[in-house]
Amino acid sequence: MIEAQTKRAEPAEDAGTPILTVNNIEVVYDEVILVLRGVSLSVPEGQIVALLGPNGAGKSTTLKAISGLLRTEDGEVTRGNVSFMGEEIANMAPEQIVRRGIFQVMEGRRIVEDMTVIENLRLGAYTRRDGGVRRDLDMVFDFFPRLRERTGLAGYLSGGEQQMLAISRALMARPKMILLDEPSMGLSPLLVKEVFGIIRQLNRELGITILLVEQNARMALHAASYGYIMESGKIVLDGAQADLVDNEDVREFYLGGGGEERRSFKNLKSYKRRKRWL
Ligand code: ATP
């Protein structure tokens, strides 16, 4: 792990008005499994913020605590606050959170394979009561022309197309903010570039705020203005994109610049612990 930094970078809220603030949350699964311990982060409106860290750090759990999907896995925010546009949303039902403007695109896309592309897209609009769904389908197809051509079952789409469908389905909810969990997972380098291009486009052209969880730290930090690094259920480092890219620990453990010995450790904390031991 990266050890919690004594000198922290400027907090994200200095970069703009936060649309989302997570304040010191604790998350427990099945009433006893404590997974997040005092996690705080903030996402300025209209920006892309990256949440990075190794497997099992608690990144997906953080997203689910924001979107309310924790509930579907017997998880609960037991301490702290999650505030979206000034309103407390911790432990609210997921559909109520979608109505307020947050949509989570889950890891592994979770598209319904035996439904058509359009049926999947309509699922994204399930909380909407307005009559603009047909118009938004056109908007989504303008954004993702390749999906317009795919009239069959979603299960026949390629991995990249399925990721585009998962993001499009989120757009159908007309979100102010999208939580993206590992959008590059399982995609070829070329498709990863394409998906990240789309993420930047959504942010730039539609003004959607994005909280991005990624294993591909290089791509994520390229897209984001600010980043948080999480290990073992805690935020251990945060900073503006340029500060993180320049940070020696981040370079060695997340951007692949470290020596073989250091990289063979699961994380920075275990490496430092061993160094102290020796
Ligand atoms: P990954 O990239 O592997 O998904 P992550 O950083 O997103 O990692 P989480 O999926 O949030 O991490 O998992 C954090 C911890 O919580 C892990 O120890 C995991 O085993 C545990 N966990 C996740 N989901 C549940 C659940 N539904 N019930 C119990 N424990 C869970």
Side-chain angles (χ1 to χ4, degrees):
M1 285 190 197
I2 291 180
E3 285 178 16
Q5 305 289 295
T6 46
K7 184 174 175 295
R8 288 163 76 92
E10 293 301 303
E13 47 268 37
D14 288 0
T17 314
I19 191 169
L20 175 86
T21 309
V22 174
N23 180 29
N24 207 20
I25 59 166
E26 181 180 276
V27 165
V28 173
Y29 285 110
D30 299 322
E31 295 185 2
V32 287
I33 308 166
L34 177 64
V35 169
L36 299 190
R37 293 171 293 155
V39 168
S40 298
L41 57 83
S42 101
V43 182
E45 184 161 17
Q47 300 208 13
I48 301 178
V49 169
L51 179 58
L52 310 173
N55 286 338
K59 306 179 299 295
S60 301
T61 300
T62 304
L63 295 192
K64 289 176 200 163
I66 298 166
S67 67
L69 290 173
L70 260 190
R71 273 189 176 204
T72 63
E73 298 183 21
D74 276 333
E76 196 188 353
V77 178
T78 48
R79 199 174 281 177
N81 316 93
V82 181
S83 160
F84 182 66
M85 298 178 77
E87 185 184 11
E88 177 58 31
I89 59 166
N91 296 320
M92 219 179 237
E95 61 276 13
Q96 288 177 14
I97 294 176
V98 169
R99 274 198 203 105
R100 279 160 176 78
I102 301 181
F103 199 104
Q104 179 172 351
V105 177
M106 293 184 77
E107 185 178 332
R109 350 277 193 226
R110 311 279 178 101
I111 60 156
V112 186
E113 297 198 347
D114 54 5
M115 286 171 82
T116 64
V117 166
I118 289 205
E119 286 166 343
N120 268 278
L121 288 172
R122 285 189 178 279
L123 283 181
Y126 80 106
T127 59
R128 284 175 59 180
R129 301 280 177 268
D130 61 293
V133 172
R134 190 179 291 266
R135 190 192 57 228
D136 285 356
L137 279 173
D138 274 337
M139 184 270 291
V140 160
F141 286 139
D142 286 345
F143 235 96
F144 300 95
R146 222 184 303 162
L147 287 183
R148 195 192 294 273
E149 298 156 19
R150 302 290 187 262
T151 50
L153 295 180
Y156 293 121
L157 299 179
S158 69
E161 289 167 344
Q162 290 192 359
Q163 185 60 66
M164 286 173 202
L165 177 57
I167 294 173
S168 309
R169 188 172 54 187
L171 288 183
M172 290 301 294
R174 288 214 152 243
K176 296 181 182 70
M177 177 169 193
I178 295 182
L179 313 176
L180 272 174
D181 200 349
E182 305 275 6
S184 78
M185 189 189 269
L187 301 184
S188 68
L190 208 64
L191 278 171
V192 170
K193 256 187 152 175
E194 191 177 347
V195 165
F196 271 90
I198 288 164
I199 293 168
R200 280 200 295 270
Q201 208 182 346
L202 294 180
N203 173 251
R204 204 176 48 237
E205 293 179 16
L206 301 180
I208 296 174
T209 306
I210 292 171
L211 179 56
L212 171 65
V213 160
E214 252 301 324
Q215 291 282 337
N216 189 333
R218 191 175 293 278
M219 290 299 283
L221 284 180
H222 186 60
S225 57
Y226 201 90
Y228 290 85
I229 298 193
M230 181 170 217
E231 293 180 353
S232 302
K234 288 182 177 168
I235 302 290
V236 291
L237 180 67
D238 66 289
Q241 182 254 16
D243 295 332
L244 289 182
V245 169
D246 282 345
N247 181 289
E248 193 193 331
D249 294 339
V250 175
R251 293 177 81 87
E252 292 188 358
F253 285 87
Y254 292 98
L255 301 175
E260 278 314 311
E261 189 207 356
R262 292 186 72 162
R263 259 186 276 154
S264 68
F265 283 85
K266 201 171 127 240
N267 52 43
L268 185 59
K269 194 169 180 183
S270 64
Y271 172 75
K272 284 187 171 167
R273 201 184 296 123
R274 177 168 177 265
K275 257 184 42 174
R276 272 199 302 271
W277 181 255
L278 295 173

